[in-house]
Amino acid sequence: MKPRIETERLVIRPWRDTDASDALVIYGDEHVTRWLTPAMTWVPSVQAMRDVLHRWMAEDVPPVRHWAVELRDSGRVVGGAAVLRLAPWEDLEIGWQLARTAWGHGYAAEAGAAVADWTMHHTDVDELFALVGPTNARAAGTAKRIGMELIGETDQYHGQQLNLYRIRHYDLAYHADAQEQASET
């Protein structure tokens, strides 16, 4: 069974073939995919996007997963989230991407936190990493809101200098407690 995660505002579910047009709004936008290179590049057409979705569906072997992120109230797909293997190591990367129309609403942090929580509670994963370009302030802010800690810079994964963020299973509880205390003040 493919997992479905629900948050207050989002449904995070497996991609479907019928999502190709909605996915192209995200992955066919160079303003989004410029931050994903070299792991993923701009997708030029609905058919190419459908091919990518099929590849993702075939690659989904726990803990590796690709999810569509849709708005709970409308069912509109506004993004994607993933847990990916960082070759050649066994490290796992968490990623999130949103259509530009969905930027600035906190959906990336909501989806990222839910995926991290689900992955660490339903698989044997104890830590996840996020790779963030040094000038990608939006992704860095999202990583921090998820509860990830900047642990340094690295070029070991894609041959380019990237900031490396990490969240561990222990951090999930600590981050949730800190958020709860902040909301009570």
Side-chain angles (χ1 to χ4, degrees), residues 24-176:
L24 186 63
V25 171
I26 303 154
Y27 301 102
D29 183 339
E30 291 177 333
H31 293 280
V32 174
T33 58
R34 74 183 180 130
W35 301 111
L36 306 178
T37 302
M40 182 176 180
T41 58
W42 171 78
V43 179
S45 69
V46 172
Q47 183 55 51
M49 189 73 246
R50 189 171 287 112
D51 294 343
V52 169
L53 292 179
H54 288 172
R55 188 179 78 243
W56 287 350
M57 288 183 254
E59 290 173 355
D60 278 2
V61 176
V64 171
R65 297 246 187 237
H66 295 82
W67 286 279
V69 176
E70 65 181 39
L71 297 179
R72 181 177 246 206
D73 61 352
S74 68
R76 182 171 62 101
V77 173
V78 296
V83 173
L84 308 169
R85 193 147 321 272
L86 286 166
W89 294 269
E90 293 298 309
D91 297 338
L92 292 169
E93 175 186 16
I94 186 170
W96 52 84
Q97 308 81 40
L98 292 177
R100 275 193 290 161
T101 57
W103 289 1
H105 300 283
Y107 299 140
E110 189 172 333
V115 167
D117 185 75
W118 189 93
T119 300
M120 289 193 213
H121 284 99
H122 292 89
T123 68
D124 62 355
V125 172
D126 290 324
E127 68 182 355
L128 293 167
F129 296 94
L131 297 170
V132 176
T135 61
N136 191 345
R138 188 176 293 278
T142 298
K144 290 174 189 169
R145 282 189 294 283
I146 290 170
M148 300 186 92
E149 173 187 15
L150 175 63
I151 58 172
E153 294 180 351
T154 184
D155 63 359
Q156 74 179 3
Y157 297 109
H158 296 294
Q160 56 184 246
Q161 201 66 24
L162 298 166
N163 291 327
L164 184 64
Y165 289 81
R166 177 183 63 201
I167 189 166
R168 294 169 293 195
H169 197 274
Y170 167 83
D171 299 327
L172 294 174
Y174 177 79
H175 183 65

